[in-house]
Each structure stands twice: as structure tokens, then as C-alpha cells.
Amino acid sequence: MKHAKFSATVRDHMMIAHSLGGEVFGPAQRLHGATYVVDATFHSGTLTADGIVVDIGRAAEELKDVLAGLNYRNLDEEPDFAGRNTTTEALAFAVAEQLARRVAADQLGPGDHLSRITVTLHESHIASASCEVVL
């Protein structure tokens, strides 16, 4: 039998405001808004006894809760991001890290079988960035 790999993805969105420091960012150095479509993918080499990677309903609720802490905020004013550029990659890491903490606390149900979480923030139909956190 071949080794199987499984994943389950939930999706939500958030709207933020921020500015990015550094010449490389051109006009994005000024305060601007961004709307991200956010995918959180949970990976496992096995399924639970119920035949799932993760309870999709609980995963969707936890993602929504994580994003609520960022949604409709000017990230330049948030203490958690003080002194850091809130690039799409950095935000993907922040969301993945929070979801990983929730998995460790069993807030999505038993998560011992989960191997990693990939969070992808879609800036538009042509650009996205991801962060993968190993559990």
C-alpha cells in the first residue's frame, strides 16, 4: 500500500490597512488597504477514527476567530506588529502561528496526527504568499 497524505482547507477573508517601510515597496510605503482571501490547510499522514483530517466546521471557526483580531485594523497601530513590516508573508506566518497554538491546545479537536499547517493569503487573482508551520 502506498503512503497517503491528506489535507483539508478552510477559507475566509480579512480587510486590513497598513504601510510598508522600505524603498522596495514603492507606493505601498504609504498607508493603504488590502483585502486578503485566506486559506488554512491542515496536513496529515493519517485520518482520525472519524475519517477526517480536521473538523472543518471547527477549523473554519478558529480561522475566523484568528482573523477577527486583524480584520478592519490598521496594522501599523497594532502592538504585535510594532517595528515590523506587515507583508503578506509576515501576515501568513502570524495566522499560521496562531492556528498552530490552537491545534496544540486541542481547540480544533485532537490534533496529534496533524503534521503541518499551510496558510496562504491571496492578495489578488495574480498574487499570493504562503507560510507553512510544522507541528
Side-chain angles (χ1 to χ4, degrees), residues 41-96:
T41 302
F42 300 85
H43 303 270
S44 178
T46 61
L47 298 177
T48 67
D50 295 313
I52 59 175
V53 172
V54 67
D55 180 325
I56 289 175
R58 287 175 81 175
E61 288 172 8
E62 294 299 328
L63 177 60
K64 182 178 250 0
D65 191 54
V66 166
L67 297 181
L70 301 170
N71 206 15
Y72 292 106
R73 295 230 166 56
N74 178 350
L75 300 183
D76 295 350
E77 298 173 354
E78 293 298 314
D80 289 345
F81 296 110
R84 295 190 301 162
N85 271 337
T86 51
T87 61
T88 304
E89 295 88 342
L91 292 174
F93 174 73
V95 173

Side-chain angles (χ1 to χ4, degrees), residues 58 62 99-112 114:
R58 287 175 81 175
E62 294 299 328
L99 288 172
R101 285 190 195 122
R102 290 164 188 241
V103 166
D106 290 334
Q107 289 176 253
L108 285 83
D112 293 347
L114 295 174

